[in-house]
Amino acid sequence: MTVAPRNRWLVLTAVILAFLPVVVDMTILHIAVPSLTVALRASGTEILWIIDIYPLIMAGLLVPMGTLGDRVGHRRLMLTGLTIFTLASVCAAFSQTALMLILARVLLAIGSSMIIPSVLAIIRQTFEDPKERALALGVWSTVASAGAAIGPLAGGFLLEHFWWGSVFLINVPIMLVVLPVVYLFIPNRPLAAQGSWKIGHALLLIAGLISTVYAVKTGFKAGPSVWVFGVLVMGLALMAWFARLQIVGSEPLLDLSLFRKPAISVGMLMAFVASGSLAGFELLLAQELQYVYGRTPLEAGLFMMPLVVASAIAGPIAGKLAGRFGLRWLGSAGLAAAATALLGISQSNIGGDGILIGCLMAVLGFSLGVGLLASSAAIMGAAPVEKAGAAGSLEATGYELGAGLGITFFGVLLSTIYRSHFSSMAGLGPDREAASGSIGEAMVIARQVGGTEGEAIAAAARTAFASAHGSVLMVTATLIAVLTVVVFVALRHENVPGATAHP
């Protein structure tokens, strides 16, 4: 059974429409954080879980779901993923508590992890002509880049006119159109499966990551305890067990032996830092614009456009620069520019220096996009041809892990510094302790208290958040500057081709 030639562009339209909400969902929620914090009375820690449970779950499931698609057929896997994603979107939109939303985000991640590998597989199966396949993959790549840029703007527009749940509910009509098209026009082509399906390894990785992240978040918020230490040890032990299985197994889920090549190790580190910095900065900027400077969600989304658009267009431009200057110089220059931009933003007035901040955000977005391209090219260029698939899986997992752990790093560091600044302020009354958890919690309490005391709490929270945000950016800029030197030194003997990055 083959796809009729007249239907192949309809198939491409269907899979692209299925892919777009998955990509947009990675950034659209950033704008909605202030609104859902008030609606669900979510704590700072719960907000972090709502945001980063999505990439953390996806990081563990992308590779085994791709393997499952080869076994049962990517059409069947995509239909299952679309159904789960649609139902999870409805659950997320009408969540009544933070825990319910976190669980809905878990389901969204499971559905997404089925959809993403199926999209590429279906495109490659449908377009047999090399020129048409290249065009189709180019469309996919453009949507992948543009999705992150659309997220904040779409979220801002929806929140301007509807309630916070609309950022999830918008997925439903799209999926209801895509589901019948996928069912009717995409054939099911199960492939001969080789090796075992390593879902147990994936669950081991996810359990280790979530336990470790939970211990870090809880430890920084509530202080160290026997329980936190025990969970941390368990999380690290599970990840060590996962790593051992990948090293000694004959058919590992992730081929960690690739890390023996310096270019791949450095490339993964760059992917972690670039994707984590971009995700973390977007989340904190969206909160500062709305909480501190009183911007509407739409205004915040528009303000963030230089960052997301520059990061989206960086890939094609950086691909050409890599071929001319080499990855060592391109990667180092990109990271150095990102560190400089972050330092500049940390010393600027986001509410007043609009043009300057816009330019700095464009530099930051472009330079982090360059860093992602350089990391991708380093990983795929240094990997042996026979291990290209394994390297691609490692790279995709690294991007999702970087986004999830980056949000955790930014959130925990911001929360710690914010609490220190807020607690040092005088005249805040008996609600000081409850309001010191996060700016979202402070704003909820300020509304409940009302009057002069409520305004004092809100003003103190804004001041503390702005100061904490600047400190976080300075710390991040310093770490990226150190990484710049590491990359420049580590790649001095590497002859990594500056080819186009792996899609």
Side-chain angles (χ1 to χ4, degrees):
M1 184 177 181
T2 58
V3 177
R6 68 178 182 276
N7 291 333
R8 63 190 183 279
W9 299 108
L10 182 60
V11 169
L12 177 64
T13 302
V15 296
I16 290 301
L17 281 175
F19 180 59
L20 182 59
V22 172
V23 180
V24 171
D25 242 43
M26 296 178 183
T27 58
I28 194 172
L29 197 58
H30 294 175
I31 291 293
V33 165
S35 299
L36 66 87
T37 299
V38 174
L40 301 180
R41 299 182 182 275
S43 68
T45 301
E46 288 172 333
I47 289 296
L48 289 181
W49 277 118
I50 289 170
I51 298 294
D52 65 9
I53 195 67
Y54 185 77
L56 288 178
I57 296 294
M58 280 184 62
L61 290 181
L62 278 174
V63 177
M65 288 302 180
T67 304
L68 181 61
D70 290 340
R71 283 170 162 264
V72 304
H74 289 284
R75 169 181 173 269
R76 185 174 301 160
L77 186 70
M78 174 171 274
L79 286 171
T80 304
L82 290 171
T83 303
I84 293 173
F85 194 88
T86 303
L87 294 175
S89 296
V90 175
C91 292
F94 295 102
S95 294
Q96 300 300 307
T97 64
L99 177 60
M100 184 177 176
L101 183 54
I102 291 170
L103 294 176
R105 291 280 285 173
V106 170
L107 288 177
L108 281 168
I110 294 173
S112 298
S113 67
M114 295 179 177
I115 295 170
I116 291 176
S118 299
V119 168
L120 276 174
I122 290 172
I123 289 176
R124 286 168 177 162
Q125 291 171 359
T126 302
F127 292 90
E128 298 180 357
D129 179 80
K131 292 183 179 179
E132 287 191 345
R133 185 186 301 133
L135 176 60
L137 289 173
V139 173
W140 168 82
S141 179
T142 300
V143 171
S145 300
I150 293 173
L153 189 59
F157 176 81
L158 289 170
L159 291 171
E160 194 82 2
H161 299 89
F162 307 101
W163 95 112
W164 67 265
S166 62
V167 300
F168 296 107
L169 207 59
I170 191 65
N171 298 330
V172 176
I174 298 175
M175 293 302 181
L176 291 179
V177 171
V178 171
L179 269 166
V181 175
V182 171
Y183 180 80
L184 292 173
F185 295 104
I186 297 178
N188 199 30
R189 299 174 177 176
L191 304 178
Q194 297 181 357
S196 57
W197 188 44
K198 303 288 187 179
I199 187 63
H201 290 198
L203 295 178
L204 194 63
L205 174 61
I206 291 171
L209 283 170
I210 291 178
S211 298
T212 303
V213 171
Y214 170 83
V216 170
K217 291 178 180 179
T218 305
F220 272 94
K221 185 177 178 84
S225 66
V226 175
W227 164 254
V228 169
F229 181 74
V231 174
L232 178 62
V233 170
M234 182 182 72
L236 294 175
L238 289 174
M239 288 194 290
W241 185 12
F242 169 82
R244 184 178 184 280
L245 290 175
Q246 307 316 299
I247 294 171
V248 302
S250 58
E251 295 176 352
L253 180 66
L254 295 175
D255 190 352
L256 299 184
S257 67
L258 290 168
F259 280 113
R260 295 170 184 166
K261 291 183 172 290
I264 293 179
S265 298
V266 172
M268 285 295 294
L269 185 58
M270 291 172 64
F272 260 80
V273 171
S275 60
S277 298
L278 194 58
F281 179 74
E282 282 184 12
L283 176 60
L284 299 194
L285 179 61
Q287 293 183 70
E288 182 164 8
L289 288 170
Q290 294 177 74
Y291 281 135
V292 178
Y293 296 105
R295 303 289 179 91
T296 67
L298 181 57
E299 290 171 342
L302 290 170
F303 190 92
M304 293 169 67
M305 280 299 99
L307 173 75
V308 290
V309 171
S311 65
I313 66 175
I317 298 175
K320 296 179 180 180
L321 295 175
R324 182 173 181 179
F325 298 105
L327 292 174
R328 181 192 184 200
W329 288 97
L330 182 68
S332 301
L335 291 172
T340 303
L342 281 172
L343 184 62
I345 295 172
S346 72
Q347 301 301 308
S348 303
N349 179 7
I350 291 180
D353 302 331
I355 296 178
L356 174 61
I357 293 295
C359 293
L360 288 173
M361 286 198 302
V363 172
L364 177 63
F366 186 84
S367 56
L368 289 177
V370 168
L372 287 171
L373 180 281
S375 69
S376 178
I379 293 168
M380 299 309 298
V385 175
E386 67 274 12
K387 291 190 174 183
S393 299
L394 196 65
E395 176 191 354
T397 302
Y399 289 156
E400 296 301 329
L401 276 180
L405 297 180
I407 289 170
T408 297
F409 170 78
F410 271 72
V412 167
L413 187 59
L414 178 84
S415 178
T416 303
I417 300 174
Y418 165 85
R419 187 180 298 111
S420 175
H421 281 288
F422 188 88
S423 299
S424 65
M425 297 181 182
L428 297 180
D431 297 296
R432 174 198 300 272
E433 183 62 29
S436 66
S438 69
I439 189 172
E441 294 171 271
M443 292 304 179
V444 170
I445 291 173
R447 291 187 181 185
Q448 293 174 344
V449 173
T452 305
E453 184 180 343
E455 182 53 40
I457 292 174
R462 293 189 189 100
T463 301
F465 188 93
S467 300
H469 195 181
S471 300
V472 170
L473 295 186
M474 289 184 66
V475 171
T476 307
T478 303
L479 293 175
I480 294 179
V482 172
L483 178 60
T484 303
V485 178
V486 172
V487 170
F488 191 77
V489 173
L491 294 182
R492 66 188 185 281
H493 298 309
E494 291 296 324
N495 182 24
V496 183
T500 303
H502 178 69

